[in-house]
């Protein structure tokens, strides 16, 4: 990916809008577009933008450093330690690691009347043993996990550095969180820990994830994840040939699953499925495998979409035909692993409007700058 720090300006203006560096006019409905224009014209915010530009080389170096620290789900400790040190050097008032492994950093506001959290996740989707060395090709960095979400970590870090460099004082506290377990079976465990009863008081939450910082996501898809296990008697692949083989049975199950699931993806709200992992067995040709498993998520947009479709899913795991499947030991065992919840906020809600205002303003600024450059060339 090409490291870009234009999104840092959007994140900075959005953060200071919500954390507050000006007092809103009492009794009036908020005009976030007008507030953002006013924030962007402040001398200290312009100084922060200049700081962001000057920090690009350091941000690129940090991006390479963090990317090359492997951080699969449940194995984020080393990257967390390195990131915590970067936050300390950036000037945070306090930095600590909580019980589950999240790194938290507090920048105190004048009044501390509210807390705005800015989050990026520490883990990457790639498993242990993946080569995460960064290759540089021109202005592009190539490596597993360099974008999702290591770039997010660097964007958040750069916001803190820019706030410090420009000495911007917010009314509310800014809490930077680098959370664990966002990917896969991590199941958002870091974020869930923060929002547990008795967790830190958080009034607004900005999560930085994905490659396009100009997009605002106000809907979250939900998913059900299952692990299906099929067992059989086992035996030597030559001497016991003809015994039921769970791998063969699982292959039939996947075939039936795809046939049954496919119609649900062709109509209505977008829905998806994926057979993500398959494992089991003891050797290539020594024995007929005794067990096999697969893991797959079912993903849908609206609340309740998959629950309405789960009966056929459950039935497939119990289905038995007259072939090898029927000779395995009992029905396949279906184990839920980590369902994730659906959620949405209306597109016209106040918080979504506050999040969109910096994006609109910044995109307009870039467009004006491009027009001015074209005009000077004419």
């Amino acid at each position: 990916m090409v490291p870009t720090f234009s999104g840092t300006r959007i994140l900075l203006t959005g953060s200071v809008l919500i954390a507050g560096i000006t007092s809103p006019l009492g009794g009036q409905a908020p005009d976030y577009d007008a507030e953002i224009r006013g924030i962007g014209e402040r001398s200290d915010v312009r100084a922060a933008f200049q700081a962001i530009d000057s920090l690009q080389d350091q941000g690129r170096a940090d991006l390479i450093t963090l990317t090359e620290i492997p951080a699969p789900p449940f194995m984020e400790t080393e990257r967390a330690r390195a990131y915590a040190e970067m936050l300390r050097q950036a000037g945070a008032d306090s930095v600590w690691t909580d019980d589950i492994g999240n790194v938290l950093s507090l920048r105190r506001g004048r009044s501390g009347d509210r807390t705005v959290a800015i989050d990026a996740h520490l883990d990457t989707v790639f498993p242990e043993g993946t080569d995460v060395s960064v290759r540089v090709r021109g202005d592009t960095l190539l490596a597993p996990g360099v974008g999702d979400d290591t770039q997010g970590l660097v964007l958040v870090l750069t916001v803190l550095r820019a706030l410090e460099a420009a000495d911007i004082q917010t009314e509310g506290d800014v809490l930077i969180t680098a959370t664990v377990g966002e990917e896969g079976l991590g199941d958002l465990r870091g974020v869930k820990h923060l929002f547990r009863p008795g967790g830190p008081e958080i009034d607004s939450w900005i999560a930085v994830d994905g490659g396009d910082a100009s997009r605002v996501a106000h809907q979250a898809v939900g998913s059900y994840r299952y692990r299906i296990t099929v067992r059989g008697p086992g035996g030597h692949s030559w001497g016991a040939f003809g015994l039921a083989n769970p791998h063969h049975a699982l292959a039939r199950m996947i075939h039936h699953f795809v046939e049954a699931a496919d119609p649900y993806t062709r109509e209505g709200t977008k829905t998806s499925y994926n057979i993500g992992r398959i494992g089991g067995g003891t050797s290539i040709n020594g024995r007929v495998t005794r067990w096999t498993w697969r893991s797959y998520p079912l993903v849908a947009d609206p609340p309740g979409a998959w629950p309405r479709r789960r009966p056929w899913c459950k039935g497939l795991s119990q289905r038995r035909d007259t072939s090898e499947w029927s000779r395995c030991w009992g029905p396949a065992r279906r184990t839920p692993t980590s369902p994730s919840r659906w959620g949405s906020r209306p597109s016209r809600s106040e918080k979504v409007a506050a999040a969109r205002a910096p994006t609109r303003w910044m995109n307009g600024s870039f467009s004006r700058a491009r027009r001015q450059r074209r005009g000077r060339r004419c």
Side-chain angles (χ1 to χ4, degrees):
M1 66 166 296
V2 178
T4 172
F5 295 93
S6 60
T8 314
R9 296 188 178 204
I10 297 173
L11 181 57
L12 184 142
T13 52
S15 303
V16 299
L17 169 65
I18 299 173
I21 57 175
T22 58
S23 299
L25 299 176
Q28 296 187 17
D31 184 344
Y32 293 117
D33 291 311
E35 285 193 55
I36 281 293
R37 287 193 296 271
I39 289 172
E41 292 170 359
R42 290 174 57 112
S43 60
D44 53 355
V45 173
R46 290 188 176 276
F49 288 165
Q50 292 176 353
I52 289 170
D53 292 337
S54 69
L55 287 166
Q56 289 197 29
D57 288 342
Q58 184 175 4
R60 179 186 174 98
D62 291 338
L63 181 56
I64 293 173
T65 297
L66 290 171
T67 299
E68 292 186 336
I69 302 175
F74 304 99
M75 302 179 68
E76 305 97 339
T77 302
E78 186 179 351
R79 179 179 285 197
R81 189 179 299 115
Y83 192 65
E85 184 57 32
M86 291 177 178
L87 291 168
R88 291 188 186 95
Q89 294 180 5
D93 293 320
S94 58
V95 179
W96 69 100
T97 302
D98 66 15
D99 295 340
I100 206 169
N102 297 321
V103 176
L104 293 91
S105 170
L106 183 66
R107 187 178 192 269
R108 295 186 180 88
R110 281 190 294 260
S111 65
D113 60 346
R114 59 192 178 277
T115 299
V116 177
I118 312 176
D119 174 70
H121 63 85
L122 287 162
D123 59 322
T124 68
V125 72
F126 299 96
E128 183 181 9
T130 301
D131 182 2
V132 292
S133 302
V134 175
R135 293 178 290 120
V136 180
R137 184 180 298 166
D139 62 352
T140 303
L141 304 181
L142 303 171
V146 68
D148 184 6
D149 189 27
T150 316
Q151 180 183 228
L153 293 171
V154 175
L155 289 181
V156 173
L157 179 64
T158 305
V159 166
L160 174 60
R161 287 172 173 157
L163 290 171
E164 289 294 303
D167 195 26
I168 293 178
Q169 299 298 311
T170 57
E171 284 295 326
D173 293 339
V174 176
L175 179 68
I176 291 175
T177 65
T179 49
V180 298
E182 192 272 351
E183 301 285 4
L185 297 181
D187 193 32
L188 298 173
R189 63 191 182 96
V191 172
K192 290 177 179 179
H193 185 74
L194 290 178
F195 285 96
R196 74 193 187 281
E201 293 291 332
I202 297 174
D203 298 287
S204 296
W205 177 269
I206 303 173
V208 183
D209 200 352
D212 187 355
S214 66
R215 295 178 57 201
V216 175
H218 57 91
Q219 297 180 356
V221 298
S223 68
Y224 288 93
R225 300 185 181 99
Y226 297 97
R227 180 185 176 108
I228 303 293
T229 304
V230 183
R231 296 183 181 276
H236 193 276
S237 60
W238 179 261
F241 180 72
L243 288 179
N245 188 319
H247 278 337
H248 301 174
L250 185 66
R252 290 180 178 272
M253 185 185 296
I254 292 172
H255 170 75
H256 291 307
F257 175 88
V258 172
E259 282 194 332
D262 186 65
Y264 291 95
T265 66
R266 296 179 179 272
E267 60 182 7
T269 305
K270 182 176 179 179
T271 304
S272 73
Y273 58 86
N274 175 55
I275 310 298
R277 297 182 63 203
I278 297 176
T282 54
S283 69
I284 296 175
N285 63 355
R287 294 179 63 84
V288 175
T289 183
R290 298 185 64 179
W291 59 273
T292 186
W293 60 268
R294 64 168 176 159
S295 179
Y296 64 94
L298 310 176
V299 184
D301 241 340
W306 267 116
R308 293 194 302 270
R309 303 171 183 184
R310 288 171 68 192
W312 62 261
C313 168
K314 182 177 180 180
L316 274 175
S317 66
Q318 307 300 323
R319 173 176 172 173
R320 310 183 74 180
D321 57 23
T322 57
S323 65
E324 198 150 13
W325 191 344
S326 66
R327 294 182 288 121
C328 288
W329 288 353
R333 186 173 63 194
R334 183 177 63 95
T335 307
T337 52
S338 55
S340 60
R341 298 179 179 178
W342 293 263
S344 65
R345 187 176 291 274
S347 60
R348 297 182 181 275
S349 71
E350 184 174 323
K351 289 189 181 295
V352 175
R356 282 177 167 168
T359 300
R360 281 196 297 268
W361 177 76
M362 192 60 64
N363 287 342
S365 297
F366 290 149
S367 297
R368 288 192 296 273
R370 284 195 294 269
R371 288 196 297 271
Q372 290 170 0
R373 286 196 297 270
R374 285 197 297 267
R376 286 196 294 269
R377 289 196 295 267
C378 294

